[in-house]
Amino acid sequence: MAQLWGGRFTKETDQLVYQFNASISFDKKFYRQDMEGSIAHVKMLGKQGILTQQETTDLVAAIKEILQEVEEGTLEISHEYEDIHSFVEAVLIERLGDTGKKLHTGRSRNDQVALDMRLYTRKEILETDQLLEEILKEILIIMEHHTDTYMPGFTHLQKAQPVTLAHHMGAYFEMFKRDRLRLADIYQRMNYCPLGSGALAGTTYDLDRYYTAELLGFAGPSLNSMDGVSDRDYLIEYLSALSTVMMHLSRFSEEVIIWNSNEYQFVEIDDAYSTGSSIMPQKKNPDIAELVRGKTGRVYGALISLLTTMKGLPLAYNKDMQEDKELAFDAMDTVKGCLALFTGMLSTMKFQKQRMEASAKNGFTNATDAADYLVNHGVPFRDAHGIVGQIVLYCVERGIAIDDMSLEELKAISPVFEEDIFESVSMKTCVEKRLTLGAPGTEAMKKVIELEKAYLSKDWKKELVDWEHALMESEVK
Ligand code: ARG
């Protein structure tokens, strides 16, 4: 047991209490962010003359050294300490003596942990955005290759109208694109530095909060110290965005599972992304897609958990907030894992063009177009709908498609039909006539693909300055 606050206590902490209270087993995950925050804090204290030049230089060098040793694995983060903050401070004191004891001047663990979690989340946003960008690139490749791969479009999981694989994939492109926009938006809104909020009421030291914020790549300091230590909105927003990513991945997984089934055979999942059965030798199961669908639950769980933890917390810091970490970390890791695996599965998946087209041909996906033919020949839409309904019934009874009927059979139901009906209800026509922007017709689709390419060519992350490099290299003032 090693803690920072023994002074006013006369008894040892109960062992169980200590364990219940400690967070090092999970907050060690942001050791890097904790030390980066400390370097910025020390540099600011030095600039303000609160630490001497020598103390500042020594502290910065020692923190960098600890960081390097932890990264190389030569210094182990000991679970003897209550949290990562105590661990770093203890090692500093061990190495620098009294100078080490000055690290925490003008700072509380409340603003420290608020900073650490924010820095960690910000890094996570960038990594997840990268993975989203990769899945988008993969989807775009499929779109480019399949502008004329016809397949049934569904409503109620019943065949509705023919579309193309490019069009179907384009829907997911839009979803993941919105996910990225949400991340960029959250990043901007959260990018204010809480360090300097102190325990809750700031501090009496003359801190330069603008300088600390700048060193850490923030747009500026947060403007209320009570809010600074107790705001976890950004994390709730991020978990909500991650939940939406998972919802999209889960819908996509569900479709891959259906498409990969024996009945559909629209796709074949690569052996590397399938698993077998211990008893049924014929099985090739879509486990990855199923797991992604299944893991959606735990990400939603993290969001609901944090919303519930925060509900009813009085200002400012409360220990409840320590509960913001474990499930959030789990959700962040889960989403990154799912995105990477799903992209791999997608890039190796084979699309069975013929199966898709054959499926689009039956199931009356051209019934709307047959009705539109009649409308174009002067029949009111409601009557046309009724006539085609009769045709469908006629076909169902005989087990044939509209295209299989003879002109005589069609004319017997409505004399309006002429030879050109067959061209009008061919699958190619049904798709290619749909040329409104956002529709599956090849020409419309190509325009959209160009727009999506232009979108992908811009990356909001590139505009962010490399603050980590600047922080580590900048002179001690
Ligand atoms: N482990 C704590 C947390 O995650 C750090 C802040 C501790 N502050 C305090 N007043 N006990 O929230």
Side-chain angles (χ1 to χ4, degrees), residues 67-81:
L67 179 57
Q68 195 182 344
E69 288 173 28
V70 170
E71 277 189 338
E72 286 168 355
T74 49
L75 176 65
E76 208 190 318
I77 298 174
S78 159
H79 284 205
E80 290 238 327
Y81 296 91

Side-chain angles (χ1 to χ4, degrees), residues 210-248:
Y210 283 95
Y211 184 61
T212 318
E214 187 196 316
L215 285 175
L216 292 168
F218 286 104
S222 59
L223 294 186
N224 181 288
S225 59
M226 286 178 111
D227 182 54
V229 291
S230 65
D231 167 33
R232 297 294 183 275
D233 291 6
Y234 69 91
L235 193 52
I236 289 171
E237 285 190 47
Y238 187 46
L239 290 174
S240 162
L242 290 183
S243 296
T244 307
V245 171
M246 287 307 289
M247 181 265 288
H248 293 153

